Amino acid sequence: MLEQSIQELESSSLARIASARSLEELEVVRVSVLGRKEGALTHMMKELGKLPPEERKSTGKLVNAAKQKLEEALAAREKQFADDTLRARLDTEWIDLTLPAPGPRRGHLHPITQIQQELEDLFVSLGFAVLDGPEAETEYHNFDALNIPATHPARDAQDTFWLEGSNLLLRTHTSPVQVRGMEKLGPPLRIVAPGRVFRNESVDASHEHTFYQIEGMMVDRDVSVAHLLYFMKVMLAGVFQREVSVRLRPGYFPFVEPGFELDIQCLLCGGSGCPVCKQSGWVEQLGCGLVHPNVLRMSGIDPEEWSGFAFGLGLTRLVMMRYGIDDIRHLQGGDLRFLEQF
Amino acid sequence: MKFSYNWIRELVDGLDCAPGALEKLITMKTAECEGIEVSGALLDRACAALVESVEPIPGGHNVKTVVDAGRYGRKTVVCGAPNCRAGIITAYVPIGKKTIQGVESDGMLASAAELDISRDHTGILELDLQIGAPLPGCFPDSVIEIDNKSITHRPDLWGHLGMAREVAALQGRSLKDPVHVGMLPEGPAPIKIEVENLSLCPRYSALVFENVTVKPSPLWLQTRLTAIGLNPINNVVDMTNYIMAELAQPMHAFDANLLRGGTIYVRPARPGERLRALNEEEYTLDPSNLVIADAGGAIALGGVIGGLDSAISGKTTRVVLESANFLASSVRRTSAVLKLRTDASMRFEKAQDPHNTVRGLARAIELLSELSPGIRLVGGVADRKRELPAAPVIPLPLDFVARKLGREVGRIEVRSILERMGFGVAEADAGIFAVTVPSWRATKDVTIKDDLVEEVGRMVGYDSITPQAPLVPSAAPPRNPERRFQHEVRDLFADLGFTEVYNYSFLSEDAVRAFGSDPAEHIRVTNPIASDQALLRTSLLPGVWKNINENLKHREAFRIFEIGLEIHKRGNSLPEEIPHLLAAIYERQGDGAAGLFEIKRAAECLMPGAQLCPAEARAFEHPARAADVLWKGEKAGRLFELHPSLVETGRAAILDVNLQLAQRLAVGEKKYTPIRRYPSSAFDLSVVAGLRDQAGSLESAIRSFAGPLLESIHFLRQYSGPPLPEGSKSVSFRLTVGSPERTLSSDEVAQVRNQIIEGMRGRGYELRV
Ligand SMILES: [Zn+2]
């Protein structure tokens, strides 16, 4: 008799739980079944004591089982309501993520900075030290120590900005850093020196009085043209991110002997000829050579014991080639519409 | 320097290399070619033609002519030349038909300029030739232009013979020397030469000619000079230019009748001595200039230019022909000081071969006998010289060649290369050549064994050398912390939204003054590109200021920075170069406060813990918004708003940091301290202060009263308004106190708080807890 009512109560309560539409309705069900005072099941539990001992145990089990089942069902339904509420609340927090983020965008490093850092990293990985030297140089370091005495016609090729005072100038190339490097470090050494250089030239789309170079030098025992070629190929492969074919032609720079102009095979046409390489298949890239014994000697290095190579590469020109910049004046124009492209 | 292909071909026996191929060969082995151009393209079609009739064409100055053009037949040609008249023989070129002013013109009558014979375009040529004859000795030529820079070290390549010698060696052909020294006359010289200083003029040779007829040069000579860019003048002058272009030996012809006395002096100019030069300029000289003089004074500037008063003219009948050698550095100095670069000075400053002077004279005898028939030599060669140096001999170990080039070159090959180039080779010791340098390479060019390595290297071809990695120890290179720091600063500022600009190192006096500096304290460029770019920057601000005013035309707001060197005058020693960062935040809208705090945040990212110490504003700074940036007790920079009158519209916050100092201060040992195990306590304090009292000063006052238990203090907020009295504000801080050894009791915390309250009261500040 009681067993039957327990089962009936259980199934009717489960149905009420399932159909409850809110936490409040669910609470009504809970109170009416499990409430401490009026709960139907609570009432039944209280009635257990009136049963004979042999029935009490088995019926007690039934009641407890029903209670546990109903409590679980209530809890499950409650959680369902809570989840629904949370979901509904979070849904109101919708945000348009396509809106722009506030605050400034990342700034841009100058293209010359970028290419210079690339080359510095490359050379450091090859064991070269990166050196700096002054922009306002002595005539000695810029010319004399590089085997260009005052009477040397090669001085005419480098239109020099002279400074007031005694024998000072704005360096016309980064080569004086070679001299300072040799004086400071002594042999053996591997150095590069990137930096700003100055030539007294009037400015137009392809000429600047202020531009950037990177100068490199290696001094060791028995450094040869073959070694120079090797490093130039490694460097240029790093710069252009691909194998490049190079060729050396005679070139005259007083601080090297022999001196070379180094051409690379035109990367645009692969050597078959195009307007960029003026149909020659080759593009002039840099000047280099074996360090002149006079230069070594002037920096206190014995040329009978040591030899070296040196090269100089125009960073400004490299940047213009890489990005197809048609007007050199942009680089020092400070126009954000230009600078933000890099 | 321009080279005529025809000329080179005359000097190289059997040269069969086409001009394009020759240009490529020279580029790869000798010197840089800048291009190749055809000169006188029409010459192979031009012929002499008789103008038979001329009839005017109404409405213009053109005439209709009928010419007899030999093998081309009788042609009707429209011609506009003023000298076109019946009966003259001129040059006809069949260039096709076209209708001019209704007349069909078949071909053209040519001026010397149109045929590249000379620059004369005033009228058509008037020739003394048979009808139909080609222009004798005039052919189309290919002119190869060599980059002067690439032959700075090669005095011999400033003449065609030098280049021909090079080509002959490259092609394995023999050189045809056009000079026959046997033509030099024996006997006493008719003039005296006195050289005051033989080191300035190591050799002065001269010849005297009489019965000279000065007239235009024959067409072949004019054509050749024109092809290489020289202007034909008359037969005597053209002859000197021809020899200069052929032998690299500049020469000068004086009208002997105009010379005073029988002696030519080579001496330093007297102070203030004047010379009217061939270019019709008058020069005032000083003793650093070497002059050629007669008894009456200077007649030429040695190695640079001749004088006008003794120049060859139509009246000249006797000529003194100078062929001399001058010290390169002296010529260079004079030419630089007088800003007078001539074909002669360009050659002499490369150090010419003193053996060449008499070769030039020998060549002149031969040429003048053709150019001025009936000319006669007077006496022998006047030749004053110092002892010519013996040919230098350089020991060349064969293994040295291999070590330098990075490839072996056989002894036979080395010998053959050097001999082809005119060097003498003897094998003194085993494996060592004794190499004798020929006089034309011995003045400056080839002096050491490394120079010989270059000769061998370029002849075997650098493409025959295989790139090879050197066998050297692998070692981490020494670091460059200054540069590394600058790169970090660059990355930081880019991350914070700043874009990098580069500005010039030059400033104008106005810009310097606008930023409160004295132009006299700047290093001055003696030869600036323009007068407003004469000073070296001692601040990056003027450049960035310009960037701000230019970019604000296109942008509402932006951030830029520059890292560069300030160059400061330091007495007579090397200037001091200090790397600086100059960053700017520009905002068109707003009162500028946001930009200032943003740039302060950037400063703190760069220099953690840096403090701003408000300072007296300079004229270009906002008078109430300027502060020094103190970091670790040193003044590392300056932060301010640019004076609003310096910005077209909007506000610009500026940060200027001495990166040399910042880099030094940034270096610091990092040390670990254990994380505190005992909880700390926090409480808030509000200080009532005057409106312009600085939060920073209040904070450091509180800090000083808090004592050692203070862990941290943070600004919370500030407030002004009721119920606070007018003119005051309340500044709130959160303080955290604690101890590494124990948990503080509430009494201890209260004691710290009371200490602060008492202390601040002592300074006249009321605290609201
Ligand atoms: Zn190409």
Side-chain angles (χ1 to χ4, degrees), chain B residues 161 177-179 181 184 247 355-364:
Chain B
L161 183 64
D177 188 349
V179 176
V181 281
L184 288 171
L247 305 180
H355 291 86
N356 216 10
T357 61
V358 288
R359 285 172 45 82
L361 293 179
R363 183 73 171 126

Side-chain angles (χ1 to χ4, degrees), chain A residues 14 20 33 87 109 233 327 342:
Chain A
L14 284 175
V33 184
R87 192 172 302 119
L109 291 180
K233 278 187 74 113
D327 191 333
F342 304 98

Side-chain angles (χ1 to χ4, degrees), chain A residues 5 16 21 41 94 99-100 104-106 108 113-114 121 131 133 144 182 191 211 241 244 246 253 257 265-266 269 339:
Chain A
S5 353
R16 286 173 67 198
R21 292 189 185 175
L41 198 64
W94 178 84
L99 289 174
R105 301 293 86 106
R106 191 176 196 276
H108 302 260
T113 294
Q114 294 184 35
D121 291 348
L131 295 192
D144 302 75
M182 286 188 286
I191 54 173
F211 53 98
Q241 296 296 304
V244 288
V246 305
F253 309 97
E257 183 63 57
Q265 195 160 57
C266 180
C269 64
L339 296 166

Side-chain angles (χ1 to χ4, degrees), chain B residues 753-767:
Chain B
R753 201 167 54 182
N754 290 336
Q755 254 166 245
I756 296 169
I757 293 170
E758 287 306 310
M760 292 303 280
R761 278 199 181 127
R763 296 213 178 165
Y765 293 108
E766 208 42 56
L767 270 79

